Amino acid sequence: MKKTVLVSGGAGFIGSHVTVELSQAGYDVVIADNFSNCDETNYRGVCQILGRTLPLVRMDFCDKEAVDALFAQYPIDAVIHFAAFKAVGESVSEPLKYYRNNLLSFVNILETAKERGGCNVLFSSSATVYGEAEDLPVTEQTPRQPATSPYGNTKTMCEDILRDCVKAYPGIKGIALRYFNPIGAHPSALIGELPRGVPNNLVPFITQTAIGKRACLSVFGNDYPTPDGTCLRDFIDIVDLAKAHVSAVTRMLDGQMKAGYEIFNIGTGRPVSVLELINTFERVNGLKLNWKFAPRRPGDVVSIWADPSLAGKELGWKAERSLDDTLKAAWDWEKYIAGK
């Protein structure tokens, strides 16, 4: 009998790619989203890729009654939780908005799961919990650092909430996946990252500059203690990231977990500088970007990348797509959106 996975925030960038991979792996997927951070473009793209329409529930996970009704309507075996606000800068200026939305939505899912006897819960966490780590690459045992933003703090707090619920309620099992820097788009160019307003992430800024939507790309800082003076990051292809979720869900549903709560880093293990990323994008796509150096941004971590070996050992997962292919897919997606 097929297992059903609920993907909260499933119409967004990461959620849509995870939905595709789960569906292609044989799971029934229910998408739930309030479309506060996206429109229906990715949902329609998911259905086009799969050749069928998936269940879509329009709802807010901060509404406990709506969460209860969703669990009553579908036989949910696992939940992957993406429904959260994610703009770091906005979280600093409006912390209560972020604490209310990001914490309450997750608490409602866990409370409903508890009331229904339990559930498998996969939380979308982040490498932001490591802050400016003293030793690189970071492992799952690397100490978490105090968050530099309310957004980052909600990731730390939700990890702790899931851990505590697993301890308290035997029916709940949990996995937190700590992402590094998801980039790219589906090779079909039918789904990808579609930020509203000014992008918060680097690659959409690159592609929007290339297409002419942005006049110039600013590279913040060129005097960091790195090989070329720009920050180092672990850029993970969005399809590789999505496949990690399939591996984690399968681990939960097949009873393979070694503990009730587990954490895995999801990255490539390869540091790439901001300048290297720009140069690779230009080379792969035969373009020249209009970019310039700008002063450092307060709070930017100098260097961070993953040791993903635990995910390789326990999930049987590793990043496979090349940076060239990832950046070509990102550009194909930007051109597709521009032509719509």
Side-chain angles (χ1 to χ4, degrees):
M1 184 174 173
K2 271 190 172 185
K3 299 290 188 179
T4 300
V5 181
L6 166 64
V7 181
S8 76
F13 173 44
I14 300 177
S16 60
H17 287 82
V18 170
T19 295
V20 167
E21 297 301 323
L22 284 168
S23 299
Q24 292 178 336
Y27 291 104
D28 284 333
V29 181
V30 176
I31 298 171
D33 208 302
N34 68 357
F35 292 93
S36 64
N37 285 331
C38 63
D39 59 22
E40 288 194 16
T41 300
N42 276 331
Y43 172 71
R44 290 192 294 267
V46 166
C47 297
Q48 192 171 344
I49 291 168
L50 297 175
R52 64 184 187 277
T53 300
L54 295 187
L56 171 64
V57 180
R58 294 175 179 272
M59 58 166 288
D60 187 339
F61 281 86
C62 289
D63 181 344
K64 179 63 165 58
E65 290 185 1
V67 178
D68 290 341
L70 181 64
F71 273 73
Q73 183 178 1
Y74 294 97
I76 296 167
D77 298 292
V79 180
I80 304 179
H81 184 55
F82 297 113
F85 295 149
K86 62 179 184 177
V88 173
E90 184 186 50
S91 79
V92 174
S93 61
E94 297 191 60
L96 288 177
K97 174 182 177 180
Y98 274 67
Y99 286 124
R100 183 184 187 281
N101 183 78
N102 294 7
L103 299 182
L104 182 57
S105 61
F106 195 43
V107 166
N108 282 344
I109 288 173
L110 290 167
E111 190 170 14
T112 301
K114 183 199 95 166
E115 292 165 355
R116 300 184 70 83
C119 193
N120 299 282
V121 181
L122 195 162
F123 176 62
S124 163
S125 192
S126 168
T128 59
V129 302
Y130 295 120
E132 191 80 67
E134 293 183 6
D135 297 312
L136 294 169
V138 295
T139 72
E140 289 79 1
Q141 284 71 48
T142 297
R144 296 184 308 184
Q145 301 291 335
T148 57
S149 70
Y151 161 75
N153 203 26
T154 64
K155 292 298 185 184
T156 301
M157 295 170 76
C158 284
E159 281 192 2
D160 292 345
I161 290 168
L162 180 56
R163 178 202 64 205
D164 292 344
C165 286
V166 165
K167 286 181 181 178
Y169 313 121
I172 296 178
K173 305 294 181 187
I175 290 179
L177 297 185
R178 291 174 177 168
Y179 315 152
F180 281 70
N181 292 76
I183 61 171
H186 195 269
S188 66
L190 293 172
I191 57 175
E193 190 167 6
L194 189 60
R196 287 187 167 179
V198 179
N200 293 300
N201 298 328
L202 175 59
V203 170
F205 228 115
I206 288 175
T207 58
Q208 289 188 8
T209 302
I211 206 79
K213 190 173 181 179
R214 306 285 165 192
C216 184
L217 170 68
S218 294
V219 176
F220 299 105
N222 63 348
D223 59 350
Y224 286 103
T226 61
D228 63 17
T230 64
C231 293
L232 293 173
R233 294 291 183 269
D234 188 333
F235 295 102
I236 174 77
D237 185 276
I238 186 61
V239 175
D240 282 335
L241 180 77
K243 289 179 177 178
H245 291 74
V246 178
S247 297
V249 165
T250 299
R251 180 178 178 84
M252 290 194 291
L253 294 178
D254 287 356
Q256 299 170 354
M257 294 177 66
K258 294 180 178 177
Y261 174 62
E262 297 178 336
I263 299 168
F264 298 101
N265 285 338
I266 304 299
T268 67
R270 176 180 172 239
V272 174
S273 75
V274 172
L275 208 52
E276 181 183 355
L277 192 78
I278 291 170
N279 291 336
T280 303
F281 179 86
E282 290 181 330
R283 174 179 57 78
V284 168
N285 296 302
L287 297 166
K288 290 300 292 182
L289 289 171
N290 182 29
W291 66 271
K292 66 180 180 180
F293 285 118
R296 292 186 182 191
R297 286 186 305 189
D300 273 350
V301 171
V302 178
S303 301
I304 184 80
W305 68 92
D307 176 350
S309 58
L310 185 64
K313 177 184 176 184
E314 298 295 335
L315 299 180
W317 171 90
K318 67 176 182 178
E320 295 179 342
R321 287 177 58 80
S322 70
L323 186 61
D324 284 18
D325 288 343
T326 300
L327 293 176
K328 181 180 183 303
W331 179 229
D332 288 344
W333 161 251
E334 186 66 52
K335 290 185 291 184
Y336 169 73
I337 289 300
K340 284 181 70 66

